[in-house]
Each structure stands twice: as structure tokens, then as C-alpha cells.
Amino acid sequence: MEEVIKIKGGKLLNGTIRVSGAKNATVALIPAAVLAYGKVKIVGIPNISDVNSLKDILEYMDVKVTTPNVDEIVIDTTNMENKPLVIDAVSKLRASYYFMGALLGKYKHVVIRMPGGCNLGPRPIDLHIKGFEALGAKIEYDNGNYILTADELTGANIYLDFASVGATINILMAAVYAKGRTLIENAAREPEIIDCINLLNKMGARIRGGGTSTIVIDGVEKLDGCFHEIIPDRIEAGTYIILAAAMGEHVIIENVIPYHLDSLLSKLKEIGVNITFSFDQVEIYKTDTPYECTNVKTMPFPGYATDLQAPLTALLTQAIGNSKITETIYSERFKHCQELNKMGANIILGPASATVVGPTKLTGGNVKATDLRCGAALVVAGLIAEGTTTIHDIYHIDRGYEDIVAKLSALGADIYRENI
Ligand code: EPU
């Protein structure tokens, strides 16, 4: 038996959709909370399977996890034990690697299995490792497990060869308990990093420069509990904005920080989407003028997000002309193109790039979510397509989109889950 998502395409969407808390912030905030010696309460937790995997990891370490409400979590480390993280939950998501920085910072010793996550081509963690070494840690790799140890951690100047989201967050988690000052140069600037820094500072850390390329961390002795609300998920918001651009008559997307989506909003305006935004919402109206093609290059924030590349590619199959998509983050992140081509798209792959020849008619069929954002692209395509689209391997979608079927049904989409 396999659970699939089925979509009968071609229906116009109307109504309001509310964006959940940011997945890629949540998956950093939960490991960050174990640095505290008090209770950390986080609200705005999305109901996604990555969060369940992180809860499993916490509970394995005897951390008390309570959920006063569905979107809240209270993390209490009073009885926490730094056990070797060689359990299956670690392999279910990429972000389990944040326990490296957090546990190294707190206990100066970590044993952890290689992290999992979407298969987007090579995803090394050499920059994380170099950062930990610069702080004084020794790293061994044995039979699929990393072993990190330090007598003590000392602040250092760390230059990242690439502005990596994961390396920036991981290094700053280890550095909060290091002696003296750590400087991360060429740090990533994604909003999720600022959110993580805000949490750590509320816990008592001394971190400045979040959102810029230079982050300064002055080590402290002890972090306490705090209360924190997660930022909205800019990638979930962007996916719904794209999907509304494809099939919306009048769709309002709430709980958005438009500044986080500047690059997407300007691309959509460029191709002719009728879109307006205010303080915390975006509105999309149907237009009768066909969309024009465009060129997109993915880049670290504030550039166009790689996580919104696949959904936009699905929309561009409907635009007139050749759109060139270039990936500078994950050169192999194009598996969705093969699935879209099965539905009638005409996408030609090149080195780290794809050319979408549009417009093409899309027709439903059997397709596979090869990773999370491929899944999102197939939902967009399924809503556009004539006939029924059956999406397989939907566990990828459930890792990152809360209640996607319910949220889209509320807009009038004909979408449902089925066991086949
Ligand atoms: N990189 C290295 N060495 C490293 C770290 C990264 O070469 O030590 C390279 C990667 O191979 C990649 C680039 O640097 O080519 C960017 O990687 P980054 O470290 O920024 O990505 P990440 O932290 O592994 C996060 C998100 C991804 C998102 C990227 C880019 C989480 C849990 N994941 O990954 O999200 O695509 O940043 O913005 O926050 C998704 O949500 O679908 C997803 C894949």
C-alpha cells in the first residue's frame, strides 16, 4: 500500500491561505534549544515530519518535549544525556547535523551519524567541519559516524569559502560557549539564520551581525530558557504564491514577510503576474494576458532561492518563450524537470541549467516527488494539468509542507490523498 496525492487539474483557485512557521528555521531552532539549561518554548512550529524526526532525537537524549498546543513545543533539557546519535531519525533529515554544533558547544563531545535529507547532488559538510576545527575540535570519521571532541573551544576567525546556511548556523551554535570572540566572515544571510540568532540571544548568547556577512559571537558561560516565535516560511509562501499565479482567480496569502520574497515577487511581476503585497500578505489576481518567459539564477539570500526554483520552473512551462534557469547552489537540482516533461513540459537540461520552452499543455499522469521541492513543483503542475495527476513518494512533501492538501482544498483545488 502506498499513499499518493491525486490532483484533478484545471480548477481556478479562490480564497485565503495561511503560511506556517518556517521549516528551515524550525529545524535549526529545535537543536539550538538544547544549548539552554532552562525551558525553551517555541511557537509557530509547523506540523511536518522533519519536526517529528527532531522530536524523536530529543526524546532519545532524554530531553523532555511537550506540546501545549499543536504549533508549540517546550524543550526541557534538565535530564538530557549526550548519547551517541546513531539512530535512524538522524538519517531522515539534513538538519540533524545541527546537533553537531549544539552538542559540541554544550558538551565538547558528539557522536553522530552522517545526516540525511533531499538528494540534490553532492552536499558536503567540509565547511562545518573546518569551522569546528578552527574552534579547537578534533574530528574523526568512523564507519558512517562523525566523532567530534574538544578539551575546550576557543573563539576564532572563520572565513567561509561559500556562504553556507548550514555551516553558518552550526558554527555559531558551537561558538556560543567558546572562550572569547568568534568571527564568521562570508556568513550566509538567510532570514532563518537571523531567527536562530534571535533565539540564541534571547537565551543569553551575545551574537551580533545576523543578516550581514560578518557575524560576531562573544562566548558566554551559560544559556537559559526563553520564549520564541518562528518567522513565517518564505519557501512555503513562495510556493503558494507561484501556485496562485498559475491557477488563482483571487488568492490571498497571509503571514508573509514580503521582504523575504523580494526576488520572487520581482520575477513574477516581470513575467506579468498581477500581484500586490502589503505588511504581511500577498494578493494575486488572475490576468488574461499570457505570462512572458524570464531568466532566473539561484543564489544565496537575498538572491533567488534555490528552494523556489522547482515550483517556478513548473509555472514557466506556461509562459511564452524560452526561460533559462541556472543553479548556482545545487548544480544537479533538476530532477523535477524530468517529471514535468512526463506531463508534457518541454524542458531541455544543460550544465547546471535548464531551458523551459513554453508554453506547453500539461497533462496528468503518474509522477514522482524525487525531493521536497520537486514535490511542490508537481503540485503546481498537477493543478495546471488537464486530467488527474498522481504524485508518488509524497513523504518528501510531508517533510516540509504542513497540511498541503487541506490548505489547497480550502482554495477550491480538487486534491486528495489516496492509498493505492
Ligand atoms: N556546501 C559545501 N560545503 C559545506 C556546506 C555547503 O560545499 O560544508 C555547498 C553545498 O554543497 C551547496 C551550497 O554550499 O552547494 C549551499 O549549501 P548550504 O550549506 O547553504 O545548504 P544547507 O544548509 O545544506 C539549507 C536548506 C536547504 C536550502 C539551502 C540553500 C536547511 C535544513 N536546508 O541547506 O533547504 O536549499 O540551505 O538555501 O535549512 C529545502 O528546504 O528543500 C532545502 C533543501
Side-chain angles (χ1 to χ4, degrees):
M1 215 54 146
E2 185 207 355
E3 194 181 31
V4 295
I5 290 179
K6 287 197 171 182
I7 305 170
K8 289 184 187 148
K11 286 191 79 174
L12 286 180
L13 307 178
N14 274 290
T16 302
I17 200 163
R18 191 171 172 80
V19 172
S20 304
K23 164 190 165 277
N24 286 345
T26 308
V27 298
L29 297 174
I30 292 177
V34 306
L35 285 158
Y37 285 89
K39 284 186 193 168
V40 175
K41 180 172 181 178
I42 307 174
V43 306
I45 300 274
N47 183 12
I48 52 174
S49 64
D50 270 8
V51 169
N52 296 331
S53 304
L54 290 170
K55 280 187 197 161
D56 289 345
I57 297 174
L58 293 180
E59 282 168 354
Y60 173 76
M61 290 190 289
D62 297 330
V63 174
K64 192 170 167 208
V65 180
T66 44
T67 47
N69 282 303
V70 277
D71 70 336
E72 296 178 358
I73 191 171
V74 178
I75 295 170
D76 178 354
T77 58
T78 311
N79 298 316
M80 179 174 171
E81 261 195 67
N82 183 20
K83 296 183 191 167
L85 294 181
V86 291
I87 53 172
D88 286 347
V90 172
S91 315
K92 288 190 180 157
L93 77 167
R94 182 104 191 129
S96 46
Y97 62 27
Y98 289 135
F99 284 106
M100 281 185 176
L103 298 175
L104 180 67
K106 192 170 186 178
Y107 298 107
K108 317 289 178 271
H109 179 70
V110 195
V111 179
I112 187 167
R113 190 180 268 187
M114 184 74 192
C118 287
N119 177 7
L120 311 174
R123 296 179 80 181
I125 57 165
D126 55 306
L127 301 173
H128 306 230
I129 301 290
K130 270 193 196 162
F132 297 144
E133 283 174 338
L135 295 173
K138 287 198 174 50
I139 289 108
E140 291 166 72
Y141 186 68
D142 180 32
N143 209 9
N145 298 326
Y146 287 96
I147 302 152
L148 290 74
T149 3
D151 294 332
E152 70 170 15
L153 297 173
T154 313
N157 284 9
I158 299 167
Y159 171 81
L160 297 180
D161 295 327
F162 185 88
S164 153
V165 174
T168 303
I169 294 181
N170 233 342
I171 293 167
L172 70 87
M173 286 212 228
V176 286
Y177 279 136
K179 286 209 161 52
R181 175 169 285 189
T182 299
L183 208 70
I184 308 177
E185 303 265 28
N186 196 29
R189 293 181 285 160
E190 271 67 4
E192 293 75 19
I193 295 169
I194 304 178
D195 208 30
C196 190
I197 291 175
N198 285 341
L199 172 86
L200 291 167
N201 282 344
K202 286 182 196 170
M203 283 159 56
R206 292 173 60 203
I207 307 171
R208 285 174 296 125
T212 76
S213 305
T214 306
I215 299 180
V216 183
I217 305 131
D218 285 310
V220 295
E221 293 282 314
K222 195 165 174 232
L223 298 176
D224 293 320
C226 71
F227 171 86
H228 184 76
E229 184 172 2
I230 302 172
I231 54 168
D233 194 315
R234 64 194 166 98
I235 308 300
E236 187 198 14
T239 302
Y240 291 139
I241 291 169
I242 289 169
L243 173 156
M247 292 309 288
E249 194 162 36
H250 178 206
V251 175
I252 299 172
I253 294 145
E254 286 181 346
N255 195 29
V256 181
I257 300 177
Y259 159 67
H260 290 173
L261 286 158
D262 272 352
S263 55
L264 172 71
L265 297 176
S266 56
K267 274 290 148 198
L268 293 180
K269 279 189 188 151
E270 192 185 311
I271 69 170
V273 178
N274 188 353
I275 188 164
T276 60
F277 60 90
S278 57
F279 167 62
D280 67 349
Q281 69 177 40
V282 173
E283 257 178 279
I284 293 109
Y285 295 88
K286 185 175 172 0
T287 156
D288 291 327
T289 317
Y291 295 148
E292 298 289 336
C293 58
T294 186
N295 296 331
V296 184
K297 193 185 263 188
T298 64
M299 299 217 253
F301 188 84
Y304 189 89
T306 171
D307 296 341
L308 287 172
Q309 184 257 106
L312 183 66
T313 301
L315 175 65
L316 290 173
T317 64
Q318 304 307 297
I320 298 174
N322 293 0
S323 297
K324 172 107 188 253
I325 320 271
T326 309
E327 256 297 337
T328 75
I329 311 289
Y330 298 113
S331 57
E332 294 175 22
R333 197 177 205 177
F334 289 103
K335 296 196 181 73
H336 51 283
C337 296
Q338 287 148 20
E339 301 303 306
L340 292 171
N341 281 349
K342 286 184 199 162
M343 297 176 70
N346 182 5
I347 306 172
I348 301 152
L349 294 181
S353 65
T355 303
V356 187
V357 182
T360 49
K361 185 177 158 194
L362 299 182
T363 313
N366 280 290
V367 283
K368 197 154 92 174
T370 57
D371 57 77
L372 171 59
R373 309 303 171 187
C374 166
L378 296 177
V379 171
V380 174
L383 293 168
I384 299 169
E386 197 176 287
T388 301
T389 299
T390 304
I391 308 178
H392 297 264
D393 288 358
I394 58 168
Y395 60 90
H396 283 296
I397 300 177
D398 294 333
R399 283 191 40 222
Y401 288 90
E402 173 178 293
D403 285 342
I404 190 165
V405 168
K407 286 188 183 185
L408 294 181
S409 299
L411 292 185
D414 194 343
I415 178 169
Y416 50 96
R417 288 170 185 268
E418 198 174 278
N419 284 310
I420 57 170

